[in-house]
Structures are given as C-alpha cells and as structure tokens.
Amino acid sequence: MVVYLIGAGPGDPELITLKAVKALNKADVVIYDRLANEELLNHAKDAKLIYVGKKAGQHYKSQKEINQILIDNGKTNPIVVRLKGGDPFVFGRGGEEILSLIEENISFEVIPGITSSIGVPTSIGLPLTHRKISTSFTVITGHEDPTKKEKQVKWDYTADTLIILMGIGNIKENTKEIMQHKDPKTPACVIENGTLPNEKIIFGTLENIADKEINTPAILIVGNVIEVYKTIKKFKDDNTQQ
Ligand SMILES: C[S@@+](CC[C@H](N)C(=O)[O-])C[C@H]1O[C@@H](n2cnc3c(N)ncnc32)[C@H](O)[C@@H]1O
C-alpha cells in the first residue's frame, strides 16, 4: 500500500512527469485539487476519483478533512494518488499531508511537479535569472496564514526577481510593502492562467500593476528581467503574426 503525492504541473496537461503518469495509470483512487488539470484524470481510467478542491457555492474541505481522506484511503487501497497543482511542496501543503500519513504509518512517495512559480514564467520565455540583471529569485506567498501571531513575510527581500503566488487578492498591500524596499518604477508583470489556453500577460510597474484588471489563478513577478522578456516576447509576437 502506498500513497503517491504527485505534482500535476502548472496547468498544461502535458507538463507532468512520466513517473507521475505511470503512478496515475495504476492508481485505485485519485484525490485531486482545483489547480490540477482534470484532463490528467484520463491517465487514471479505472480509479475512483475524489475531488477535494473548492468549487463555487460548494463546501471547501479543510486541510484536516483532506488529511483524513488520505489516511482512510491509504489504509484501504493498494495505490492512492494525491494529485496537486504545480509541485506538492511549493505552497501545496504537501509536507502536512506527508506528516499525517507518517503518524498512521502509511507508506508514501513524492513525485515532483513543475511549480507554477518557475514553469509559468519559463513557458512564456521570461528568464528568472539573467547575467548582469538577475542573480537570484525568491518565491513568496502573497497571502500569509492570517491566524499567525507574527508575520514571517516582511517584504524586505534582496533577490533581484520576486515571484509572488496567491497574491492577487492582496496585490495593493503587497506592492506597497515591496515599494518600501524596491524602486516603484521596477517592472512588474502578472501571468494569469499560465500554460493554459486562456493565459494572459499583464505588464506594469510596482507602482501601477495593482490598478490593472487581473483574474486568478495568477502570479506576480517583479524585477528587471521583465525588460529582457519584452524583447523575447516582441520576437515571438513578430514571428507568430507572419
Ligand atoms: C496554493 S498555491 C499552489 C502552488 C503550486 N503548488 C505550485 O507549485 O505551483 C496556488 C497559487 O499558485 C499560482 N498558480 C498556480 N497555477 C497557476 C497558473 N496556471 N497560472 C498562474 N498562477 C498559477 C497562483 O498564484 C495560485 O494562487
């Protein structure tokens, strides 16, 4: 008996590993999230499917409930797949799920996925590091657990490129905080629905990106690498139009 914790990749159903597809092929049960592309379930033809993500007007399962579903299924089925968007260990609460399996002595294996934080910018041709422009990047949550006594996110990051996940709801407050540490004219861009047919890219600067119309899921990127990307994008756009 084993529970596979699998990263489904950023959205495009082809951006999943072969190892993950093999695990889906043999799964008895698949427990999946909102951000895992439902097309991937076609790899698990004979499996029982359990949806634990949020849907408009429906009850959203708490992490405690999800952990219990994993435990109950892990104890009664030979192969269980827990399918999560992106990579399970990047803002995916994968660590908590593994710890709850360990408490019940249930075997597990983690299969990494392409995280949206890197895969989404990379797929459009936006380099996160670039010689002479960016020597580092930091991935930050834009929605820190509000029940924490003291905030861990201080926004004083020194990395050249900032990648902010789950930050659209708080984009005004977050960009204001970042401007305490970075030039307000620093280029910023948002990528909505990255790697999917309805992908949208929105450009701005730290001081005005919050005023744009943005839909979720989306990531916010801040840094001068966006200027490099504009050159790459222009080439791509010019060549697509021909
Ligand atoms: C709960 S986090 C999960 C991240 C995931 N574990 C990963 O590695 O990509 C969800 C956030 O990921 C980002 N995200 C996930 N998929 C995305 C996509 N296709 N396009 C843009 N942002 C995405 C958004 O910032 C969203 O709020």
Side-chain angles (χ1 to χ4, degrees), residues 78-161:
I79 298 176
V80 175
V81 164
R82 170 71 173 119
L83 188 64
K84 301 175 82 79
D87 183 276
F89 282 176
V90 178
F91 300 127
R93 306 191 73 169
E96 289 162 69
E97 294 182 3
I98 293 298
L99 289 174
S100 71
L101 292 174
I102 288 175
E103 270 181 31
E104 297 288 332
N105 210 17
I106 298 170
S107 304
F108 64 87
E109 193 179 320
V110 184
I111 302 180
I114 298 177
T115 171
S116 62
S117 56
I118 297 178
V120 164
T122 296
S123 70
I124 60 168
L126 194 165
L128 297 174
T129 64
H130 194 78
R131 199 165 271 242
K132 299 202 172 101
I133 293 179
S134 172
T135 59
S136 55
F137 62 83
T138 295
V139 181
I140 312 152
T141 173
H143 181 82
E144 199 175 358
D145 178 358
T147 61
K148 270 187 198 165
K149 277 205 181 105
E150 199 184 332
K151 276 187 177 294
Q152 277 174 273
V153 179
K154 310 275 193 220
W155 297 109
D156 55 350
Y157 300 99
T158 53
D160 296 313
T161 307

Side-chain angles (χ1 to χ4, degrees), residues 35-221:
L35 286 175
N37 193 319
E38 288 199 12
E39 270 187 48
L40 293 171
L41 301 174
N42 293 329
H43 294 297
K45 287 216 169 7
D46 302 323
K48 178 183 171 195
L49 306 176
I50 303 177
Y51 179 76
V52 293
K54 199 188 221 166
K55 247 182 206 162
Q58 276 188 16
H59 177 59
Y60 171 51
K61 296 233 179 304
S62 71
Q63 190 59 49
K64 207 173 159 197
E65 287 172 309
I66 295 172
N67 293 351
Q68 196 56 50
I69 291 170
L70 280 175
I71 290 166
D72 293 345
N73 282 278
K75 280 183 176 171
T76 49
N77 292 280
I79 298 176
V80 175
V81 164
R82 170 71 173 119
L83 188 64
K84 301 175 82 79
D87 183 276
F89 282 176
V90 178
F91 300 127
R93 306 191 73 169
E96 289 162 69
E97 294 182 3
I98 293 298
L99 289 174
S100 71
L101 292 174
I102 288 175
E103 270 181 31
E104 297 288 332
N105 210 17
I106 298 170
S107 304
F108 64 87
E109 193 179 320
V110 184
I111 302 180
I114 298 177
T115 171
S116 62
S117 56
I118 297 178
V120 164
T122 296
S123 70
I124 60 168
L126 194 165
L128 297 174
T129 64
H130 194 78
R131 199 165 271 242
K132 299 202 172 101
I133 293 179
S134 172
T135 59
S136 55
F137 62 83
T138 295
V139 181
I140 312 152
T141 173
H143 181 82
E144 199 175 358
D145 178 358
T147 61
K148 270 187 198 165
K149 277 205 181 105
E150 199 184 332
K151 276 187 177 294
Q152 277 174 273
V153 179
K154 310 275 193 220
W155 297 109
D156 55 350
Y157 300 99
T158 53
D160 296 313
T161 307
L162 303 184
I163 304 154
I164 297 131
L165 267 61
M166 301 175 287
I168 302 309
N170 297 333
I171 192 166
K172 256 201 160 56
E173 298 79 1
N174 293 347
T175 46
K176 208 170 151 194
E177 293 276 3
I178 301 169
M179 281 190 281
Q180 304 293 317
H181 310 280
K182 286 195 187 288
D183 182 350
K185 302 276 181 229
T186 308
C189 106
V190 166
I191 311 166
E192 276 178 26
N193 290 298
T195 77
L196 291 166
N198 55 344
E199 176 179 274
K200 195 170 156 200
I201 304 160
I202 301 154
F203 292 100
T205 58
L206 255 181
E207 65 186 348
N208 68 20
I209 194 79
D211 302 330
K212 317 269 177 185
E213 198 191 312
I214 300 169
N215 295 304
T216 57
I219 63 172
L220 168 65
I221 301 186

